Amino acid sequence: MESDYLSGQTGHSKQSRSLFTATAVPMFIVGTAVILLLIIFVRASGILKRLDQNSRDILEQRVLNRKDYLQNNMVNEWSDLNVLSNKINEATTELLNEGVIDWETLDDTADAPSPILLAVAEDLVAELRAKRTSGIFVIFNTESLSGMEEGISSAKPGIYIRDPDPMSYASIRNEDLAVKYASTTMTRRMNIAMNGLWQPVFSFDKEGDARATEFLLRSYQTAYEQDGVKNAQDFGFWGLAPFGDTPSTPYTVSYTVPLILENGAVYGVLGVDLTQEYLQDLLPYNELTQSGSGAYLLVMSDVP
């Protein structure tokens, strides 16, 4: 009886294996054939190429959107300084007529242009807020700067106000701002903290480094050498300014226009700038790919 039971069990196992083999092998063959057909279909239909092209199109569109965003801000926001420059010119003209300031000594000391800056201080802060730039600056000068082209050191009075985080909410008391360049008189009157790198005047003494003065020379000096009445916007210049905060990021991207009175006299520049850190925030590379391994490349070219 026991042998009959074992033989019956063995026969049942053989039948199960035979049934499994008879079922599995055809299914494996059919499955393999289906996969091969799918591969052939996908290759023949160009689906992979279309998916790859779609990915490229999405990437290209994102880059174009960022380009358009920056271009719109550069043209319609950051470089539109007409209203503010007119206010500075009006204040300067009025103070000259009243004898409060003197043209011959306007750029002699850190405090010489303070009456002008105090008259437009609120306008400077308001423009910085409205433009959402990293900084705004005014530099005064009433003489030729041709010596700078030869590396001659120079110091000029003015003001530079920095906003470390232009995208955040503005403080009513301007606690989020810092003065990087200005006289002590201005910093006390404006009640804005001094930047850790504060200086009373702008110093240009980087001999051999043309980029340290180009933002000033290409705007101011070009207008200064022109005769007659001039339009400040004709001399606007996008370039690099030496207002960075760290050795690894010594420059900011700046836009500068000359300050010109109605009689054509040039007496300084007005400008805004963007730190490299802020530009990185405006160009979030992690939006380019799902892995976040993309990168934006921002290029500046010298167009005469």
Side-chain angles (χ1 to χ4, degrees):
M1 292 292 293
E2 183 177 354
S3 60
D4 291 342
Y5 172 77
L6 290 174
S7 62
Q9 192 175 41
T10 303
H12 179 72
S13 298
K14 290 180 178 180
Q15 289 178 0
S16 299
R17 285 197 297 271
S18 298
L19 180 61
F20 174 78
T21 302
T23 305
V25 172
M27 291 181 62
F28 175 77
I29 294 173
V30 171
T32 303
V34 170
I35 292 173
L36 290 173
L37 288 173
L38 285 175
I39 293 174
I40 294 172
F41 172 76
V42 168
R43 288 182 175 274
S45 63
I47 292 177
L48 292 178
K49 291 184 178 180
R50 287 201 295 270
L51 289 175
D52 182 63
Q53 186 60 46
N54 287 341
S55 298
R56 291 175 181 271
D57 291 343
I58 292 172
L59 176 61
E60 181 179 357
Q61 189 59 50
R62 287 176 178 171
V63 174
L64 288 175
N65 288 342
R66 283 294 168 183
K67 185 268 293 183
D68 292 340
Y69 172 74
L70 284 180
Q71 182 173 306
N72 178 68
N73 277 298
M74 290 177 69
V75 175
N76 299 320
E77 289 291 335
W78 300 330
S79 62
D80 183 11
L81 299 175
N82 290 328
V83 174
L84 180 58
S85 62
N86 288 337
K87 288 182 179 180
I88 298 175
N89 292 335
E90 290 171 1
T92 301
T93 300
E94 182 177 349
L95 292 169
L96 283 170
N97 292 336
E98 294 175 353
V100 177
I101 58 175
D102 183 83
W103 181 266
E104 298 299 326
T105 60
L106 183 61
D107 59 351
D108 283 358
T109 65
D111 275 326
S114 291
I116 302 174
L117 294 175
L118 288 171
V120 298
E122 293 184 1
D123 297 304
L124 289 172
V125 173
E127 190 81 349
L128 176 63
R129 301 292 197 192
K131 300 292 185 193
R132 288 183 177 270
T133 59
S134 302
I136 190 166
F137 57 90
V138 181
I139 303 174
F140 292 96
N141 181 72
T142 59
E143 58 189 5
S144 174
L145 295 175
S146 58
M148 283 188 179
E149 297 176 337
E150 302 172 2
I152 298 176
S153 299
S154 181
K156 299 298 175 183
I159 191 170
Y160 178 104
I161 307 173
R162 166 63 57 80
D163 185 348
D165 187 7
M167 301 303 291
S168 65
Y169 289 104
S171 167
I172 298 177
R173 298 182 178 180
N174 294 328
E175 295 173 343
D176 55 331
L177 303 181
V179 174
K180 190 169 184 177
Y181 296 94
S183 66
T184 53
T185 299
M186 284 302 304
T187 55
R188 286 197 300 266
R189 295 287 296 272
M190 294 186 70
N191 196 29
I192 298 179
M194 293 181 181
N195 180 276
L197 302 174
W198 171 83
Q199 294 182 37
V201 294
F202 293 83
S203 298
F204 302 100
D205 55 4
K206 298 181 180 180
E207 184 175 356
D209 188 354
R211 289 174 297 182
T213 56
E214 186 180 39
F215 82 104
L216 185 58
L217 292 173
R218 292 283 290 269
S219 183
Y220 177 90
Q221 191 64 22
T222 306
Y224 181 87
E225 294 175 354
Q226 293 287 326
D227 295 327
V229 180
K230 316 162 185 99
N231 181 4
Q233 295 305 308
D234 292 339
F235 304 95
F237 175 71
W238 277 103
L240 298 177
F243 299 145
D245 293 329
T246 66
S248 61
T249 57
Y251 296 98
T252 58
V253 176
S254 68
Y255 178 76
T256 314
V257 293
L259 292 170
I260 307 174
L261 298 180
E262 290 185 358
N263 62 3
V266 186
Y267 65 101
V269 297
L270 165 67
V272 294
D273 71 348
L274 307 140
T275 63
Q276 294 182 42
E277 294 83 359
Y278 182 38
L279 283 172
Q280 289 176 354
D281 292 338
L282 296 177
L283 297 170
Y285 65 87
N286 55 2
E287 72 179 4
L288 294 175
T289 61
Q290 292 183 348
S291 61
S293 59
Y296 279 108
L297 180 63
L298 185 62
V299 179
M300 296 184 65
S301 61
D302 188 8
V303 180

